[in-house]
């Protein structure tokens, strides 16, 4: 995708959140200067790759002096656009929907869940923490009103494609899908999958 | 890690499940021959990278004739050791624990959830689908008895490190962690994180 940084491969963009997380942990540890070598050890990605990835966005470190962690965190947040807070909606008030509605990990990472929808009359109007589950029939209207761009799908696989279609029609631009199914979305719509199988399969090689 | 294929970088191993998933979808579509170029388009990884990754495990395709999808699926499953079914336990019977205990996506992917544990007396003995929630106090004994190697942690962040320590002591070798916290595990123990923030942050760059 062409943008202010030029044509940067998806795979490079995909590594930036990993770098950001590792750097944020360093800050928590009051660890203020780091190196591509140290990041490499934490992340299992080569130091050369890390230097190459970061160099695509500017000059972050001087040869021999390393990276200033706080500056790099701030800059990475700007690059991936999480120096702001995005409103996010959840579709599906089942187990997973409940879990992510109450997930404490979004705080200060650029996201805030603002609404939870379901199409089951037995669930509409019930509470999940601070949220009252809203009727999916009102979802498109509320997405447009709120100019919401990000949604998380936590419905059964059989309903997920229909939900995705409705989301896209309403103006959603990025979908995080928990349903165990691959979704078709138009070009320009971002989609990511939460798939425990994929993570488990990254480990069994070593067992 | 040295093994029968030599010293293959983690990052390469981490891409194999992606290839496997894409190839399995091709099989479902009755799409029997593919190419690195086609896989590249589906995955957003360069064709050269895919060829290089796969070539580390042997000869899968002949120049110009492409890859036999079914053979490649079978071989990748052998390589990452999911040509068998691994028993997996869940620790934490909250929202996320419920969700993954009932997750239908593990079928035929090399994994089967066999037990769910919790330390809350109000949850022990309750049912989640076919499972009866068992007392975490019995967890180590049952891991040893069952020679279980894989666990998913779905407890609050504040309890996750203690649970991980107990799992490792009992013989668990691979942990999938849903708690929003980085865990310390000894060398040789595999750990993966399910982190919706990371996935959301891979998309916001494009918004």
């Amino acid at each position: 995708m062409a943008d202010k940084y030029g044509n940067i491969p998806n795979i490079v963009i995909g590594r930036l959140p990993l770098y950001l997380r590792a750097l944020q942990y360093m800050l928590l540890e009051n660890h203020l200067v780091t190196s591509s070598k140290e990041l490499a050890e934490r992340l299992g990605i080569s130091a050369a790759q890390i230097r190459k990835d970061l160099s695509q966005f500017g000059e972050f470190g001087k040869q021999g002096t390393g990276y200033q962690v706080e500056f790099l965190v701030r800059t990475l947040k700007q690059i991936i656009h999480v120096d702001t807070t995005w409103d996010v909606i959840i579709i599906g008030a089942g187990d997973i929907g409940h879990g992510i509605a109450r997930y404490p990990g979004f705080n200060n990472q650029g996201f805030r869940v603002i609404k939870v929808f379901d199409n089951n009359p037995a669930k509409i109007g019930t509470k999940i923490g601070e949220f009252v589950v809203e009727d999916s029939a009102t979802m498109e209207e509320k997405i447009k009103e709120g100019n919401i761009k990000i949604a998380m799908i936590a419905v059964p696989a059989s309903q997920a494609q229909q939900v995705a279609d409705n989301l896209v029609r309403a103006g959603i631009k990025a979908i995080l899908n928990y349903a165990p199914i691959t979704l078709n979305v138009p070009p320009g719509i971002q989609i990511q999958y939460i798939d425990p199988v994929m993570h488990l399969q990254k480990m069994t090689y070593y067992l």
Side-chain angles (χ1 to χ4, degrees), chain A residues 125-164:
Chain A
T126 61
K127 291 200 83 174
I128 302 179
E130 63 188 301
F131 303 105
V132 176
V133 177
E134 301 179 44
D135 186 346
S136 294
T138 67
M139 180 179 82
E140 293 187 47
E141 178 195 331
K142 286 172 184 166
I143 290 169
K144 287 175 194 161
E145 273 173 22
N147 194 27
I148 297 162
K149 297 299 174 205
I150 305 178
M152 300 194 275
I153 295 181
V155 301
S158 59
Q159 297 174 28
Q161 183 63 55
Q162 183 61 59
V163 167

Side-chain angles (χ1 to χ4, degrees), chain A residues 168-187:
Chain A
V168 169
R169 193 169 50 232
I172 289 291
K173 298 297 182 200
I175 294 173
L176 179 56
N177 179 37
Y178 280 79
I181 184 175
T182 296
L183 300 175
N184 293 312
V185 293

